[in-house]
Amino acid sequence: MFNGNFIPLDESIIPLSEWISDGIDWLVYNFRDVFQVIKVPVEVTLTGLSTALNALPFYIPILCITLLAWKFAGKRLALFSLLSFSLIACLGLWEATMTTLAMVLASVLFCSVIGIPLGVLAGRSSLFEAFLRPVLDAMQTTPAFVYLVPIVMLFSIGNTAGVIATIIFALPPIIRLTCLGIRQVHPELVEAAQAFGASEFQVLWQVQLPLALPTILAGLNQTIMMALSMVVIAALIGAGGLGSPVVLGLNTLDTGQAAVGGIAIVLLAVILDRLTQAIANK
């Protein structure tokens, strides 16, 4: 009972933790098959990307990314990409890097498919934005570790569960910035298009989306960075990739192994960040 001191968690007046646990147990008992079906497209996409990237000889992805960096960002990023991926290959982390890249690409793909339409709806409807905003606030401020227990119970462990946790964590930025981009389009441009007889779809497709594209791409860049930041956390529920050596290093107090995995993550993040920014600026 409350006697002027703090109430211990196990003696709380409102048993919220028990209600949440009971709710998750109810979902697992009644809808586990549904959640197993939901994860199928994520699993198929991730498996396809991971298999394709790991099947290629290491020099082909290095050459492709170097050429992309040269085309969109110039010689400096091309040289940095070449040296960084060569270092990663020499460190024996090539397979883990390709697995991480597949997880990030799969997460960003699903974030785009889900997030851009939701952002467009929020940009065109203040009521929907008011409903969506607290949900996004909760998704962005809830600690990432909190996602892991229900994710494991509903989707089991492994790379697919890691990607689903990453999608939940990385989804808000692309929704928010898509909404912002749509709202930043000058109303006079929309009115002019409507005055010339454009339908709502034509206004959206030919006026609002092209003008909002730089902001949407900035949201995509933020989503990529947040997806990479989940790599280590996702490794705690059995996801492979570059998070595995970091987690293994932490468990065995092997500073070197953890540092090597961290360096590879940083190099990959810098390359993807600079490359996507350069593509957005073009």
Side-chain angles (χ1 to χ4, degrees), residues 9 24 43 58 94 96 105 221 237 243 256 265 268 274 276:
L9 179 62
I24 296 296
E43 190 169 24
F58 72 92
W94 183 257
L105 291 176
N221 175 270
I237 57 173
I265 292 172
L268 186 60
R274 303 296 186 273
T276 52

Side-chain angles (χ1 to χ4, degrees), residues 63-125:
L63 185 62
C64 291
I65 293 177
T66 301
L67 290 176
L68 277 175
W70 193 325
K71 176 177 176 57
F72 290 102
K75 295 178 182 177
R76 290 177 61 184
L77 184 62
L79 181 61
F80 180 79
S81 302
L82 178 63
L83 294 177
S84 297
F85 276 107
S86 300
L87 175 62
I88 288 171
C90 292
L91 291 173
L93 293 172
W94 183 257
E95 187 176 347
T97 302
M98 290 300 101
T99 301
T100 295
L101 186 59
M103 292 173 65
V104 170
L105 291 176
S107 303
V108 171
L109 174 63
F110 281 95
C111 284
S112 301
V113 170
I114 299 169
I116 291 176
L118 287 177
V120 169
L121 287 174
R124 294 168 66 90
S125 168

Side-chain angles (χ1 to χ4, degrees), residues 102 106 161 175-176 199 208 227-228 237 253:
I175 297 177
R176 287 187 189 279
S199 65
Q208 291 178 309
L228 268 171
I237 57 173
L253 297 180

Side-chain angles (χ1 to χ4, degrees), residues 52-63:
L53 288 173
N54 281 302
L56 292 172
F58 72 92
Y59 53 85
I60 292 181
I62 292 178
L63 185 62

Side-chain angles (χ1 to χ4, degrees), residues 8 21 50 67 74 88 128 151 154 158 171 185 216 228 235 258 282:
S21 297
S50 183
L67 290 176
I88 288 171
F128 184 68
I151 289 291
L154 295 171
L171 186 59
V185 175
I216 295 172
L228 268 171
K282 291 286 183 180

Side-chain angles (χ1 to χ4, degrees), residues 155-278:
F155 299 101
S156 306
I157 60 173
N159 287 353
T160 305
V163 170
I164 292 171
T166 303
I167 292 170
I168 297 171
F169 183 72
L171 186 59
I174 196 165
I175 297 177
R176 287 187 189 279
L177 288 172
T178 301
C179 173
L180 178 65
I182 294 294
R183 289 183 177 275
Q184 283 181 334
V185 175
H186 203 288
E188 290 183 357
L189 294 174
V190 176
E191 292 172 4
Q194 290 172 336
F196 281 101
S199 65
E200 287 296 316
F201 179 77
Q202 287 173 324
V203 170
L204 172 65
W205 189 252
Q206 297 179 1
V207 178
Q208 291 178 309
L209 281 177
L211 293 173
L213 189 59
T215 309
I216 295 172
L217 291 176
L220 189 66
N221 175 270
Q222 291 300 308
T223 295
I224 292 172
M225 293 298 103
M226 292 189 72
L228 268 171
S229 72
M230 274 291 288
V231 166
V232 176
I233 298 173
L236 294 174
I237 57 173
L242 292 172
S244 296
V246 177
V247 172
L248 187 60
L250 287 173
N251 290 334
T252 58
L253 297 180
D254 188 340
T255 310
Q257 188 174 27
V260 167
I263 289 170
I265 292 172
V266 170
L267 292 174
L268 186 60
V270 170
I271 293 169
L272 292 179
D273 178 55
R274 303 296 186 273
L275 185 56
T276 52
Q277 281 188 10

